[in-house]
Amino acid sequence: MSVKLLCKRKSVSAYLSQLKVFRSTRREMDSLKKELEEELKLSTDDLRSHAWYHGTLTREASVALLRRDGDFLVRESSSAPGDYVLSCCWKNDSMHFKIIRVVLRPKKGYSRELFQFEEDRFDSVPALIRFYVGGRRPISKASGAVIFQPIARTVPLRVIGERREEGGHNGNSGWAKRRSFSTAHADMLQVLNPLLRSGSHPANLENVGCSASLQSAQSDSNLRSGGGGTLRGSDGQLHPRAPPKPLRISTVFPNAVPPPPTDTDCDPASFYDELVIQVPERPRGHVDRLRAEEKWQSRAHLTETSFGFLEAHKNQNSTALVNTQEDSWTFQRPQVESQSCFQLEKFQSALLPENNRPLDPTVLTSLKELFNRYDTNTTALHMLRVDCQVARIVGVTQEQCRQMGVASGLELVTLPHGHQLRQDLIERHELISLGLAVDVLGCTGTVTQRAMVLHRFILLAQSLKEHAHDLFSFSAVMKALEMPQIMRLQMTWRVLRRNHTETAVLYEKKLKPFVSALNDGNDSVLEGPVAVPHLLPLLMAMEGEDPVENSDRGCQTLYDLLQSARSSALNCRDYRKHAHELLTGWEPVSELLEACRTEFALRLLWGHSGAAAERSERHHKFQQILSVLSDKLEPVELPSEEQDTAPEES
């Protein structure tokens, strides 16, 4: 009995000892768990709040955690404390990319940090990671490595740092201890809280959106605790919002990034996979400088900073210091234009008499014969040439650039001091539409003849779109065809469908949907190069008119239009180059070129004296004239019941 009792006492003692160790370990795990939770609850701008950040984890330790293609984590650089390294697995091989840090010093007493790999720059490391994960973009062109599977840490950053220091003192055995320590803690965390199991391993980002909704719109990831709370960042699953847009300011940072350290004798961690930094040429001149500054400010949203030219200077670390450089360039305030570019008093016409009357029949007849002598492609090129001159796309002198402050009218129309140019372009657009409407409604011949006029105008719209690539005049022609005074001519349209079926189908099935998409700011319908973009919606919006008042998409359409306008301004050089190519190698017909000018249309429609009247009054009265002409061509037929009840005239 005494032996059995002794054995029982030893068993109880061993059990109590094990229970004591378990409780001690549990308390330690609870403490670590709370510490980890506090880190992950920090602001998402704080790198410590993201589970894929492993602090001072060593290179060897990170390699052991990377098992599948797409796995990644971010750690502090071993060779350059304060810098960060992306460690990832790609094609069954571990890769390490140092995150390049650029410090902007645009003015004294102010600095700003940006982070990048090769091209795109961001104001924080989390924004950089979200961009490459959300867009599945390769970290470098040479490696093609793509990251999408974050490896989440299971212990606080303090513990990782302590184990690193301990491993450094104990030599090569340190990693084995760290590995076992981390694994033991991960296992214990999962025992203590089963709901952490799914969160202790990285989630596949392809399944984003299938998990429960996040508690915070700013959090990249979350954990659900047993009490229903949310532990952000522990499962490594990124928030299903769109990745941030890069700060595309590389054009102002020539030679911004020095190569990574090459001295590998002291630390093998100096070896990093190669990043080829894209270094464009330094911007030259006032126009390029303005474009670079505008691009930077629109992306960075740093309204408290006035940026001058930013030039990078190399140093021995991986940090590039960018300072303002003073050179011989001096700022000149752009001139605000107050007069229209259409100078009627200087306009000399070979087609109009000196003091012509509005809508002179003789001039209208000769004008119709002139346009009938040339095909629609030739007419489209003449319209393109005049459009490029008015919009200041080609033939812009250095003096004009200096006065505008930009290199093209496509940029000027987006700026406050481009008011007069916007008014001139709106005037030209409306005059093109009114001139075509006069040609249709002034045709007092047979319905077949009017249908032929519609046929030619539809072909002209097609030539402007496909041959001249002039979307400005194209939209003006389409606007004329969609005027209510012309759309109501049912007999004319019926004859068009019968006699010119292919043209009618082209108009209904291709041209109308195309211009509708352009009016909604949908640039995806564009195919091939463009010489003059679609400007009217932007011009209307900038002048206080509502280009989307009849749209059911409202704000989204307005946003798309502004994005389209930004694209037009940024691509103005491509437009100028393509327009120059189209206008090179052919000789314009002087009479046809004059007939396409805005000054000619002003004199033709309102006469020598009426052309100088106020625009809104002129156009309002002319719309009334068009309505009268339309009613005469195809009078409104009253229903039989209304005719029977109509009072008899005495």
Side-chain angles (χ1 to χ4, degrees):
M1 291 293 294
S2 60
V3 175
K4 292 183 178 180
L5 181 61
L6 181 61
C7 292
K8 287 184 178 180
R9 287 179 177 177
K10 289 183 177 179
S11 299
V12 171
S13 177
Y15 172 76
L16 292 176
S17 177
Q18 292 178 356
L19 182 61
K20 184 178 181 180
V21 171
F22 177 79
R23 288 177 176 175
S24 176
T25 305
R26 183 187 181 94
R27 285 194 296 270
E28 183 182 1
M29 294 301 99
D30 287 342
S31 176
L32 292 176
K33 175 175 174 289
K34 290 182 180 179
E35 186 177 351
L36 177 61
E37 291 176 3
E38 291 301 320
E39 287 181 349
L40 300 177
K41 289 179 181 178
L42 296 172
S43 169
T44 54
D45 294 333
D46 194 324
L47 192 56
R48 296 172 297 172
S49 70
H50 299 274
W52 40 257
Y53 176 61
H54 289 246
T56 57
L57 188 71
T58 63
R59 183 188 187 98
E60 295 81 4
S62 65
V63 170
L65 296 175
L66 303 171
R67 301 176 181 177
R68 297 171 296 179
D69 283 357
D71 287 357
F72 76 92
L73 58 87
V74 174
R75 58 185 176 86
E76 189 172 333
S77 174
S78 301
S79 59
D83 288 341
Y84 303 105
V85 177
L86 171 73
S87 297
C88 65
C89 180
W90 189 249
K91 295 183 179 180
N92 297 321
D93 188 20
S94 58
M95 297 183 177
H96 306 272
F97 299 94
K98 177 169 283 190
I99 298 176
I100 305 301
R101 180 169 54 178
V102 176
V103 178
L104 306 182
R105 291 178 179 170
K107 66 179 183 181
K108 187 176 181 180
Y110 183 88
S111 64
R112 183 80 173 185
E113 286 187 340
L114 296 179
F115 302 89
Q116 74 173 82
F117 287 118
E118 285 191 341
E119 294 181 349
D120 302 306
R121 297 182 176 183
F122 300 84
D123 56 2
S124 68
V125 174
L128 176 72
I129 297 302
R130 279 198 300 269
F131 176 74
Y132 280 90
V133 172
R136 294 292 182 98
R137 296 172 180 265
I139 302 300
S140 71
K141 293 181 179 179
S143 67
V146 176
I147 58 174
F148 52 85
Q149 198 87 329
I151 301 298
R153 69 178 186 271
T154 56
V155 293
L157 295 172
R158 174 186 60 82
V159 175
I160 297 177
E162 291 176 354
R163 301 316 299 174
R164 174 188 173 89
E165 293 178 0
E166 182 178 326
H169 293 302
N170 296 335
N172 295 333
S173 62
W175 162 234
K177 292 183 179 181
R178 284 195 303 274
R179 175 65 178 168
S180 61
F181 181 89
S182 178
T183 305
H185 280 68
D187 295 341
M188 184 59 69
L189 281 174
Q190 295 197 38
V191 170
L192 295 177
N193 190 350
L195 291 178
L196 288 176
R197 294 176 184 173
S198 62
S200 62
H201 299 285
N204 192 324
L205 296 184
E206 292 179 350
N207 298 325
V208 168
C210 301
S211 61
S213 60
L214 302 185
Q215 192 175 35
S216 171
Q218 295 180 338
S219 177
D220 288 339
S221 49
N222 65 54
L223 282 175
R224 290 181 175 252
S225 62
T230 300
L231 308 180
R232 297 180 298 167
S234 298
D235 66 348
Q237 182 162 336
L238 299 192
H239 192 280
R241 62 181 173 178
K245 293 183 178 180
L247 303 175
R248 300 186 181 277
I249 56 172
S250 300
T251 56
V252 297
F253 298 114
N255 306 318
V257 182
T262 57
D263 183 11
T264 60
D265 296 334
C266 60
D267 189 354
S270 297
F271 289 105
Y272 294 104
D273 289 89
E274 183 179 4
L275 289 174
V276 181
I277 310 302
Q278 302 299 317
V279 182
E281 295 182 359
R282 169 182 172 179
R284 299 180 181 275
H286 176 47
V287 176
D288 291 338
R289 203 181 304 267
L290 286 178
R291 181 181 293 108
E293 292 180 5
E294 188 275 337
K295 191 181 298 184
W296 155 246
Q297 292 174 351
S298 66
R299 293 294 189 185
H301 306 290
L302 301 179
T303 56
E304 74 276 12
T305 305
S306 176
F307 288 91
F309 175 69
L310 304 177
E311 182 178 6
H313 294 274
K314 295 182 179 180
N315 60 8
Q316 295 180 352
N317 301 319
S318 64
T319 302
L321 300 179
V322 184
N323 298 289
T324 305
Q325 173 176 316
E326 298 293 338
D327 55 18
S328 59
W329 173 81
T330 56
F331 174 77
Q332 293 185 357
R333 184 182 182 88
Q335 295 184 8
V336 179
E337 301 175 20
S338 58
Q339 293 184 348
S340 171
C341 66
F342 308 132
Q343 301 295 326
L344 292 174
E345 64 278 3
K346 298 180 181 180
F347 176 65
Q348 300 293 329
S349 175
L351 301 176
L352 295 170
E354 184 175 353
N355 295 306
N356 68 296
R357 297 174 299 161
L359 299 176
D360 190 319
T362 304
V363 177
L364 290 175
T365 301
S366 60
L367 191 62
K368 183 184 292 289
E369 294 175 353
L370 174 64
F371 280 104
N372 287 336
R373 288 200 298 267
Y374 300 96
D375 59 24
T376 56
N377 285 346
T378 302
T379 303
L381 287 177
H382 284 78
M383 297 177 71
L384 169 65
R385 176 159 181 166
V386 178
D387 288 342
C388 288
Q389 292 174 347
V390 176
R392 305 176 195 179
I393 298 176
V394 296
V396 182
T397 64
Q398 290 296 327
E399 178 63 18
Q400 287 178 308
C401 291
R402 186 191 63 78
Q403 294 175 354
M404 295 189 299
V406 288
S408 170
L410 297 180
E411 298 172 280
L412 182 59
V413 294
T414 66
L415 301 174
H417 63 283
H419 165 73
Q420 187 59 57
L421 179 58
R422 290 192 293 269
Q423 289 290 324
D424 289 344
L425 287 171
I426 291 176
E427 175 82 277
R428 173 163 177 77
H429 196 277
E430 291 181 348
L431 288 180
I432 294 174
S433 300
L434 292 177
L436 299 181
V438 167
D439 198 2
V440 176
L441 300 176
C443 181
T444 57
T446 64
V447 179
T448 303
Q449 291 174 331
R450 284 199 301 275
M452 176 60 73
V453 176
L454 288 181
H455 165 71
R456 284 187 58 84
F457 287 162
I458 294 173
L459 294 182
L460 175 60
Q462 176 71 357
S463 295
L464 287 165
K465 173 179 175 290
E466 299 294 341
H467 183 68
H469 304 154
D470 184 353
L471 300 183
F472 178 81
S473 284
F474 163 77
S475 62
V477 175
M478 293 298 295
K479 180 181 178 181
L481 295 172
E482 294 176 353
M483 281 185 174
Q485 295 93 333
I486 294 179
M487 291 298 296
R488 65 172 296 276
L489 302 178
Q490 298 182 7
M491 294 176 58
T492 306
W493 286 100
R494 192 179 301 119
V495 174
L496 174 72
R497 298 185 188 99
R498 184 185 64 200
N499 296 351
H500 309 280
T501 306
E502 293 184 1
T503 304
V505 172
L506 171 67
Y507 174 72
E508 293 290 344
K509 299 299 183 181
K510 292 186 178 181
L511 300 185
K512 285 183 67 175
F514 180 78
V515 75
S516 178
L518 292 181
N519 289 334
D520 290 339
N522 181 11
D523 289 343
S524 64
V525 297
L526 296 176
E527 298 179 357
V530 173
V532 184
H534 184 48
L535 296 173
L536 184 64
L538 169 69
L539 302 176
M540 295 175 62
M542 292 290 290
E543 290 303 302
E545 303 179 40
D546 188 359
V548 296
E549 58 182 355
N550 297 323
S551 173
D552 56 354
R553 297 175 63 229
C555 292
Q556 181 61 43
T557 299
L558 183 58
Y559 173 80
D560 293 340
L561 292 175
L562 294 178
Q563 288 294 95
S564 178
R566 173 178 292 178
S567 175
S568 298
L570 293 178
N571 296 321
C572 62
R573 293 180 179 177
D574 296 333
Y575 299 144
R576 179 171 63 243
K577 179 181 178 181
H578 185 58
H580 180 73
E581 292 174 353
L582 291 173
L583 297 175
T584 301
W586 69 283
E587 289 294 331
V589 180
S590 59
E591 293 181 344
L592 193 57
L593 192 63
E594 179 188 332
C596 293
R597 292 185 59 180
T598 310
E599 293 91 340
F600 177 85
L602 285 167
R603 288 271 304 273
L604 174 68
L605 300 181
W606 287 283
H608 183 271
S609 57
E614 199 274 328
R615 181 167 67 92
S616 60
E617 180 181 357
R618 284 189 285 108
H619 286 266
H620 176 69
K621 292 182 177 180
F622 206 86
Q623 288 289 343
Q624 294 177 335
I625 295 174
L626 294 180
S627 298
V628 172
L629 293 175
S630 178
D631 291 340
K632 285 185 176 181
L633 292 177
E634 295 187 19
V636 178
E637 296 183 1
L638 296 175
S640 57
E641 295 181 359
E642 295 185 17
Q643 291 179 357
D644 295 339
T645 58
E648 297 182 357
E649 296 182 0
S650 57

